[in-house]
Structure formats: C-alpha cells, structure tokens
Amino acid sequence: MTKIFNRIPWLGLFSLMAGLLAWELTARLSGLPRFILPAPGDVWRSFIKALTTGTLLYHTAITLTEIVLGMLAGVTFATVVGYSLAKSRTLEKVLAPYLVASQAIPIVAIAPLLVIWLGDGILSKVIICALIVFFPVLVNTIVGIRAVPTALYDLMNSVRATRWQILFKLELPASLPILLGGLRVGATLSVIGAIVGELVDAQEGLGYLLQLGDFQYDTSMVYVAVFVLIFLALGLYGIVTLLEKRFLKWQTVSSSR
C-alpha cells in the first residue's frame, strides 16, 4: 500500500504529460485554426511574452489583491455573523430568509449593480469577492459552533470560565476543522468572485486580460489567463490545507493512538 501512495505524484505527473500530448496532437491534427484551439506551444509563447513585458505580473497582482481583500472581508464578516446566528436561534430565524434570498440571486446578476453603486474601482470587485465567499464560511461557522458537545460547555462552566475563555479555549478549537473546511471552499470561490467583478467592468486584472484576448481573437492569451487563475486557486487551496495541518496536528496525534 505504501508503494502505491509513493507512486501517486509520479502518476499525477504522467497524467499531466499525457494530457499535454493529447492537447498538442488534437491541435495539430484537427486542422482547427489557432484562434479556436491553440497548441500548448502557442500558449507557452504567449505566457513568456506577457511575463517578460510585465503585463501578466501586473494584472495578476491586481486580481490577487482583490482576492485577498475580498477573502479577508468575507471570512471576517461571515465568521462574526455565523457565530451570532449559532448562539441565537431567534436571530437565525429573522435573518435566514435574507441569507437564503441572497444566495438565490446569481452573483453575475447583482455584480453590474454593485459596479454602478460602488464604481468601477477595486472596491466593487472586493465586495463581489466577499459576497461569494460569505455563505459557505457562514454555514460552516454555524455548523461548527453548534457541533461543540454540551458536556464541554458544562465543564467550562464548572471551572467558572469567562465568555472569552469559552470562545478561545473551547469553541474555536473544537469547531476549527469545520471552519477551515468552509475556508477551503471560500478560497476557491474567491477567485470566481474577483473575475466576475472584473468581467463586468475593469481596465486591469486577469478578467480584463480574458476580455482583451477574447476581443482580439488572441485565444492563447485567454488560455494563459485561465491557467494563471487555476494556479491562484490551487495556491489558495494549498495555503488553507497547510493551515489545517498546522492547527489540526492534534487530530493526527489522536487518530494515530
């Protein structure tokens, strides 16, 4: 079994190489023009050109800034609201219709309104990103806090723990696995939120590069922007995974006993 798991990275690399080879053969043998299906080599040349001119780094930095700020705003607000709802059933009943209604409306439908209200600067993109991150983190916060066993609350009350001690020494550690699960989902969705905002109205960012490549029939540039977005999402997902390994070491120790 150990040998099989040791081969997994090599299997992933082999799968990637096989996919690139299939893409190259399809692009060359299908007879499709490059503006419809560029070959991997064309995409690589576009990537190097955009990288050396500084265009790709500039637009990637803009989008990454929107993603990070949107994630921070969305996660913070969702955690505070989620904790309040988890502790108050009455407040949950009051706000539940509005929260569900906010998720029933596609973000692409309200994104133009947010751009009109907040302007075409970075603020509207950050808000759109925060909104798309908000709900999964909110739900996981509520579930995580309510999953804390009642017996542990009784134990904390028996030693006369304060409200802040219960929060930081019981509720947060006990619900952290579920909270980080919501953050993992939010991290990938944040990329979508930033791009939706940029596609509505932007003069910079990876969403702008996508539109520019589309208008100019520069499909290779579209592929470059898409792959960079994929790497951003994978990077954010990986950071959350590292946070899980860092803060949830006790789970590994407990399961190994």
Side-chain angles (χ1 to χ4, degrees):
M1 184 64 70
T2 304
K3 293 181 178 180
I4 295 176
F5 281 110
N6 290 334
R7 293 176 183 173
I8 287 178
W10 294 103
L11 291 175
L13 181 60
F14 176 77
S15 176
L16 179 62
M17 298 302 295
L20 289 174
L21 179 60
W23 178 9
E24 179 75 27
L25 293 175
T26 302
R28 296 192 179 281
L29 300 179
S30 64
L32 294 173
R34 290 184 177 180
F35 71 87
I36 293 179
L37 182 62
D42 299 327
V43 177
W44 176 254
R45 283 187 289 272
S46 294
F47 171 76
I48 295 299
K49 179 180 178 181
L51 190 63
T52 53
T53 59
T55 302
L56 185 60
L57 291 177
Y58 173 76
H59 291 289
T60 301
I62 296 295
T63 300
L64 185 59
T65 301
E66 296 168 354
I67 291 172
V68 172
L69 293 178
M71 273 193 63
L72 290 176
V75 170
T76 302
F77 189 53
T79 303
V80 172
V81 175
Y83 183 81
S84 302
L85 296 180
K87 306 301 287 187
S88 174
R89 297 280 183 178
T90 302
L91 184 61
E92 182 186 11
K93 292 179 181 179
V94 172
L95 296 182
Y98 299 98
L99 296 174
V100 174
S102 68
Q103 295 304 301
I105 304 174
I107 193 66
V108 294
I110 61 175
L113 292 176
L114 292 174
V115 172
I116 293 173
W117 294 337
L118 303 175
D120 58 357
I122 190 174
L123 179 59
S124 58
K125 283 71 176 179
V126 170
I127 296 300
I128 294 170
C129 183
L131 287 176
I132 204 169
V133 170
F134 175 78
F135 196 73
V137 178
L138 172 77
V139 172
N140 279 47
T141 301
I142 296 174
V143 173
I145 295 298
R146 288 182 177 170
V148 179
T150 306
L152 295 180
Y153 282 108
D154 295 336
L155 177 61
M156 295 296 287
N157 290 327
S158 67
V159 297
R160 297 182 179 179
T162 64
R163 177 67 263 174
W164 292 107
Q165 287 175 328
I166 293 176
L167 173 62
F168 289 107
K169 294 184 180 297
L170 171 60
E171 292 174 332
L172 283 181
S175 61
L176 197 57
I178 300 177
L179 295 178
L180 289 175
L183 183 59
R184 192 188 302 182
V185 176
T188 54
L189 291 178
S190 63
V191 178
I192 300 175
I195 293 303
V196 168
E198 290 177 351
L199 289 177
V200 172
D201 186 13
Q203 299 299 319
E204 52 190 5
L206 293 174
Y208 170 74
L209 279 187
L210 283 171
Q211 285 189 321
L212 185 64
D214 188 23
F215 293 153
Q216 296 179 349
Y217 287 93
D218 188 358
T219 312
S220 296
M221 180 54 64
V222 174
Y223 274 67
V224 169
V226 169
F227 284 132
V228 173
L229 289 172
I230 292 173
F231 282 120
L232 286 180
L234 290 174
L236 292 171
Y237 188 89
I239 290 174
V240 178
T241 303
L242 290 176
L243 290 176
E244 288 182 334
K245 292 181 179 179
R246 169 65 178 82
F247 292 110
L248 300 180
K249 286 183 178 179
W250 56 271
Q251 280 190 331
T252 305
V253 175
S254 299
S255 61
S256 61
R257 291 179 178 177

